[in-house]
Amino acid sequence: MDKRDNVVSDQHDHCYYEVVKPGSVAEWLMMRARRQIYEDFKKIMRPEACTTILDVGVSDVVQGGDNIIERLYPYPSQITAVGLGEGGEFRESFPAIKYSQIASGARLPYGDGEFAISTANAVLEHVGSTDGQKYFVLELMRVAKEVFISIPNRYFPVEHHTAMPFAGWNDATFRLACRALGKEYWADPQNLILMSASRLKRIVPQSGKWEIGFTGIRFGPFSSNIYAYTSMRRV
């Protein structure tokens, strides 16, 4: 496994959790949003005790509201998780869950339709390019019969990764604010592509039947998160 993936994973988590500190308002908002995402995941996907789940892009920093499916799902042995890091802290925190390290942008190491559900929360915006995002979604579709993706909404009043108010609404303003406030890491599209419902619609395959809606902290089109769902059973 490329050691650069470990560096990217560690740097990403470090930058994110500089904002989402334990006990902070940012952590409270994240936990509230992700719990609602989990509830919508259950409502839409309706997993059962025998349902196999692949969670792509889990965090190796275990605190607060991260890895929400692993924290709350009642059948952990049915979950397989993958991430860029070595997964030491993840394995220790969730010993019943199978974990594998993957390379950024690589084909997922699983067969076609191997899982009932594949999911990725707050991952798609970090893939690094439009082509990379499209390939990522296709891989989620390849390995599972149903897919549930959730992403932060750039139009939520507070940008998720930086806690800057209203800065995410415009790319140029966001990059300028990041550089001015010492948050240059997030100004690079290789690390963060701000997402909206319209952009998500352009990323998912047009040949499929996708349901796209709002989740997390509900505030209409300014809700904290957006989800996309599809089932290959109905395509």
Side-chain angles (χ1 to χ4, degrees), residues 221-233:
F222 306 106
S223 297
S224 64
N225 296 81
I226 305 162
Y227 75 84
Y229 158 72
T230 192
S231 171
M232 271 54 74
R233 294 187 176 97

Side-chain angles (χ1 to χ4, degrees), residues 50-56 78-82 98 108-119 139-147 232-233:
C50 61
T51 302
T52 54
I53 299 174
L54 175 65
D55 191 0
V56 180
Q78 295 298 98
I79 300 175
T80 297
V82 297
K98 298 176 286 293
L108 293 171
Y110 303 106
D112 296 357
E114 187 167 337
F115 298 90
I117 295 171
S118 64
T119 185
E139 275 296 279
L140 292 178
M141 295 175 67
R142 180 183 66 80
V143 300
K145 300 174 180 67
E146 295 183 284
V147 177
M232 271 54 74
R233 294 187 176 97

Side-chain angles (χ1 to χ4, degrees), residues 42-198:
K42 288 196 305 178
K43 180 180 178 180
I44 293 169
M45 309 306 286
R46 298 182 180 179
E48 301 176 345
C50 61
T51 302
T52 54
I53 299 174
L54 175 65
D55 191 0
V56 180
V58 298
S59 174
D60 200 23
V61 175
V62 180
Q63 72 175 53
D66 54 54
N67 304 319
I68 196 67
I69 290 179
E70 287 74 13
R71 288 178 180 275
L72 299 180
Y73 193 63
Y75 311 109
S77 63
Q78 295 298 98
I79 300 175
T80 297
V82 297
L84 296 180
E86 294 180 350
E89 188 173 344
F90 182 93
R91 296 174 199 266
E92 183 177 340
S93 299
F94 307 108
I97 295 173
K98 298 176 286 293
Y99 178 87
S100 294
Q101 186 178 13
I102 58 173
S104 178
R107 179 182 173 91
L108 293 171
Y110 303 106
D112 296 357
E114 187 167 337
F115 298 90
I117 295 171
S118 64
T119 185
N121 175 55
V123 177
L124 186 63
E125 69 271 22
H126 301 299
V127 171
S129 69
T130 297
D131 287 343
Q133 289 180 321
K134 290 180 177 180
Y135 179 72
F136 181 82
V137 173
L138 287 173
E139 275 296 279
L140 292 178
M141 295 175 67
R142 180 183 66 80
V143 300
K145 300 174 180 67
E146 295 183 284
V147 177
F148 184 90
I149 301 167
S150 57
I151 54 172
N153 181 9
R154 69 180 301 166
Y155 295 118
F156 187 63
V158 180
E159 201 284 316
H160 293 245
H161 305 82
T162 61
M164 297 188 300
F166 304 107
W169 291 19
N170 177 273
D171 286 342
T173 302
F174 177 71
R175 289 193 291 269
L176 182 64
C178 283
R179 295 186 179 109
L181 297 174
K183 302 177 185 290
E184 293 90 348
Y185 180 84
W186 299 119
D188 185 350
Q190 288 292 316
N191 300 323
L192 175 63
I193 297 174
L194 297 171
M195 297 293 294
S196 63
S198 60

